[in-house]
Amino acid sequence: KVHGAANGIVAAMPRNVAQRLREEGNALYASGNHQGATEKYTEALSHVRNDAGVLLNRATAHAAAGQHELALEDALEAIRIHERRARRTLEATPTDEDVMATASLTDEERVHEQAAIPPTPAQVCKLRYRAGSSLLALAGDTSDREHRQDRLRRAIDFLEGALRTQPAPKQAAQIQAALNVARSSAQ
């Protein structure tokens, strides 16, 4: 028998379905089917809207499919989720932004959000890299100089933030290469 959150027991079914869909998306991504992966991740998010890991996976699939605007949106949303969780561990009183962000969550999502572990430096690094690399790709897609410069400046900020998380050497080299491209393009 499944009880609601009001009884202190939350149904695990949506989270299990979302996990299965995420794994299916991962398999599709690994096989090169980025559109299929994106669809599975989107379906998973219909069960757990505030899962930053699924958002990061979908951002990565969007980027691989050349959909950099969508990749950026997902990466930024995942960053907001992680920042909200990190703030919650440091502050006793939630901010107005935190209250608004969680107001539309279901009981199960709210319980998951409250129990969520703050992001690791590696997760923050991946999110910042994904946002920065998406902005870098989008900067190349615009002919408006002011818009291009803004995207490059934001890409540099995200990529520098990714490096500050002290990534593994291979990942650091990848981030540094993207940062070098962004800096040279901004000049």
Side-chain angles (χ1 to χ4, degrees), residues 9 58 68 72 84 88 145 155 166 175 180 183:
I9 301 171
R58 191 171 71 172
H68 299 289
L72 177 62
R84 192 171 58 242
R88 195 177 51 246
R145 179 166 168 67
Q166 301 177 336
I175 295 165
N180 291 343
R183 285 178 175 157

Side-chain angles (χ1 to χ4, degrees), residues 19-153:
Q19 181 60 35
R20 179 184 49 79
L21 291 166
R22 181 181 186 175
E23 290 167 4
E24 290 174 14
N26 291 347
L28 288 167
Y29 182 86
S31 73
N33 184 349
H34 303 128
Q35 185 60 40
T38 299
E39 291 168 7
K40 289 294 182 181
Y41 297 139
T42 299
E43 193 176 345
L45 287 166
S46 73
H47 295 280
V48 287
R49 292 177 291 167
N50 62 337
D51 190 315
V54 176
L55 280 165
L56 175 59
N57 287 8
R58 191 171 71 172
T60 302
H62 280 312
Q67 300 167 324
H68 299 289
E69 194 75 45
L70 295 172
L72 177 62
E73 288 175 23
D74 282 349
L76 292 176
E77 180 59 24
I79 288 169
R80 281 189 286 273
I81 289 168
H82 277 318
E83 287 174 346
R84 192 171 58 242
R85 288 178 181 161
R87 255 195 328 269
R88 195 177 51 246
T89 63
L90 297 174
E91 299 173 1
T93 307
T95 64
D96 290 342
E97 179 185 341
D98 294 337
V99 171
M100 292 299 294
T102 59
S104 65
L105 298 179
T106 65
D107 287 343
E108 194 232 343
E109 289 171 330
R110 192 169 286 108
V111 168
H112 174 72
E113 177 78 12
Q114 290 168 351
I117 300 168
T120 66
Q123 291 168 324
V124 172
C125 180
K126 286 179 187 176
L127 290 168
R128 289 180 179 165
Y129 172 71
R130 176 56 51 222
S133 61
S134 293
L135 281 162
L136 182 57
L138 288 168
D141 291 346
T142 185
S143 58
D144 179 345
R145 179 166 168 67
E146 187 176 318
H147 197 66
R148 176 180 159 78
Q149 289 302 109
D150 179 60
R151 286 179 171 173
L152 289 170
R153 180 190 51 74

